[in-house]
Amino acid sequence: MRLLDRNRNLPERERRRAAVDRGTRSYMIDMLIMMLPLAVMAVVHYGLRALGIMALSVLSAVVIERIGYALMRRPAELGDFSAVFTGLAVALVMPASAPLWLPVAGVAFAIIAVKLPFGSASESPFVPAAAGIAFLTVCWGDLLFTYPAVGTPVAVTGSEAFIRGDSLAAMLRVGDSGAPTLFNFFNIVSGGIAGPMGATCTIALFGAAVYLLIRRPSQIIAPAAFVAVCSVCAVIFPRVLSGRKASLTMEIASGMLVFAALFFMSDPATSPRNPIGKLIYGLAGGGLCMLLRYFGAYEEGACFAVLLMNAAWPPVSRAIFLRRSADVPKKEESAPVREGGEVLP
């Protein structure tokens, strides 16, 4: 009761900011719950090194954000868990063999260049984690897309003990279906194939999608549209010769496509608010993702598709929805009336 009274006494701007912070914290907690099975599967497949990369990435994100707020002389906003989300998201798309400085570089760029200049996660026009992954892709793509073979001792990329595995994304780029069998299909859906350590387990990603549907039905629209467009493109324009079913399975299960759809396209700070806008946003993002996969310089373009939609959607939405609202005739305002029926001038 005292808390409610205290909130009523706050200025309107502060009350709105407090409501946004609560909404951001609630969303980030849901995202972290969705990521938990992915993190567990990463440890199952790659052992303690995967756990170490995730812990280091999250710790780095929290420390960098705390220092950044201190230098800006602003109170730290670590309670919204956005730093934890950014650190864990960047770590989960790493190869388990990545050098330990790689996730630190990714979260540093995400927070210093994309989040702090705009104040907070709810005010940034871009998804910080997606920007951090894009930065690593451009600067150290070879390290980011070189994966260890599952089931072998994990060593740092480039070392003598490192054993490289073939990822689905790499197979797709050269048109190799890997002769998918029932056993290989099980490896694909369980995450037992080389790839981003926390983004290859299709079963866990499906569970995360179900959780998002139950908890936030409106936020599943953009991710679902994103994956739907990618699926249609995979069936119509297959990159492998072994059939459209193999193309669909490999395309959806490869890289960070579904991961980016669920955790980045659903971000309420950068995605549209109305259902039609979410649908258009997701459809366009999926189309961009597949164009980048087919013709881009990198084997994975999902994070770039997310960032392009972050940048393009605000002017597009203004052009579409403001025009629609301008076409709707405004209702005439009725004159104010006193009690008793007397019309005020």
Side-chain angles (χ1 to χ4, degrees), residues 59-79:
L59 180 62
S60 299
V62 171
V63 171
I64 291 170
E65 183 165 307
R66 181 66 183 87
I67 294 173
Y69 278 125
L71 293 176
M72 295 167 64
R73 297 183 179 179
R74 289 186 50 184
E77 299 181 0
L78 300 175

Side-chain angles (χ1 to χ4, degrees), residues 262-275:
L262 286 175
F263 295 104
F264 300 155
M265 292 298 290
S266 65
D267 181 18
T270 55
S271 62
R273 295 184 179 180
N274 61 79

Side-chain angles (χ1 to χ4, degrees), residues 157-173:
T157 302
S159 65
E160 292 184 2
F162 175 72
I163 302 174
R164 181 169 183 163
D166 293 326
S167 68
L168 292 177
M171 293 179 189
L172 285 166
R173 283 190 72 82

Side-chain angles (χ1 to χ4, degrees), residues 23-338:
T24 301
R25 180 168 57 251
S26 175
Y27 169 78
M28 292 300 173
I29 290 173
D30 281 338
M31 292 297 104
L32 292 173
I33 292 172
M34 290 164 57
M35 284 180 175
L36 184 58
L38 302 176
V40 171
M41 291 307 298
V43 175
V44 169
H45 288 303
Y46 297 105
L48 292 179
R49 181 172 176 80
L51 182 62
I53 289 176
M54 289 185 283
L56 177 63
S57 185
V58 170
L59 180 62
S60 299
V62 171
V63 171
I64 291 170
E65 183 165 307
R66 181 66 183 87
I67 294 173
Y69 278 125
L71 293 176
M72 295 167 64
R73 297 183 179 179
R74 289 186 50 184
E77 299 181 0
L78 300 175
D80 63 4
F81 295 105
S82 60
V84 177
F85 167 79
T86 298
L88 188 55
V90 170
L92 287 175
V93 301
M94 292 282 114
S97 58
L100 296 180
W101 58 264
L102 194 65
V104 177
V107 298
F109 181 86
I111 292 173
I112 296 172
V114 182
K115 182 179 179 181
L116 291 180
F118 300 98
S120 66
S122 61
E123 296 169 332
S124 175
F126 301 99
V127 179
I133 296 163
F135 170 73
L136 295 179
T137 300
V138 172
C139 295
W140 299 286
D142 290 341
L143 287 175
L144 188 64
F145 299 131
T146 300
Y147 305 106
V150 180
T152 61
V154 180
V156 179
T157 302
S159 65
E160 292 184 2
F162 175 72
I163 302 174
R164 181 169 183 163
D166 293 326
S167 68
L168 292 177
M171 293 179 189
L172 285 166
R173 283 190 72 82
V174 299
D176 179 13
S177 65
T181 63
L182 181 61
F183 178 72
N184 289 340
F185 180 78
F186 177 77
N187 284 346
I188 289 173
V189 298
S190 64
I193 194 164
M197 64 181 187
T200 55
C201 184
T202 308
I203 296 175
L205 288 168
F206 177 76
V210 172
Y211 180 88
L212 182 62
L213 175 63
I214 295 172
R215 283 283 297 162
R216 301 175 180 272
S218 65
Q219 294 303 117
I220 198 67
I221 297 174
F226 185 99
V227 174
V229 169
C230 294
S231 302
V232 171
C233 291
V235 171
I236 298 177
F237 308 108
R239 290 195 280 170
V240 292
L241 301 177
S242 54
R244 300 183 189 277
K245 183 178 179 181
S247 171
L248 174 61
T249 302
M250 293 179 67
E251 205 74 64
I252 298 304
S254 65
M256 60 186 81
L257 189 152
V258 178
F259 184 93
L262 286 175
F263 295 104
F264 300 155
M265 292 298 290
S266 65
D267 181 18
T270 55
S271 62
R273 295 184 179 180
N274 61 79
I276 298 298
K278 292 178 187 293
L279 180 63
I280 298 172
Y281 182 77
L283 293 174
L288 281 172
C289 177
M290 294 309 289
L291 285 174
L292 290 168
R293 281 190 161 198
Y294 288 145
F295 306 109
Y298 307 102
E299 68 177 49
E300 180 55 75
C303 57
F304 294 104
V306 171
L307 296 174
L308 286 171
M309 289 309 302
N310 291 165
W313 181 253
V316 170
S317 65
R318 284 194 294 267
I320 295 175
F321 295 106
L322 288 182
R323 185 178 300 170
R324 284 184 59 191
S325 63
D327 292 339
V328 177
K330 294 181 179 179
K331 294 182 180 180
E332 293 185 5
E333 295 182 2
S334 56
V337 180
R338 282 193 187 136

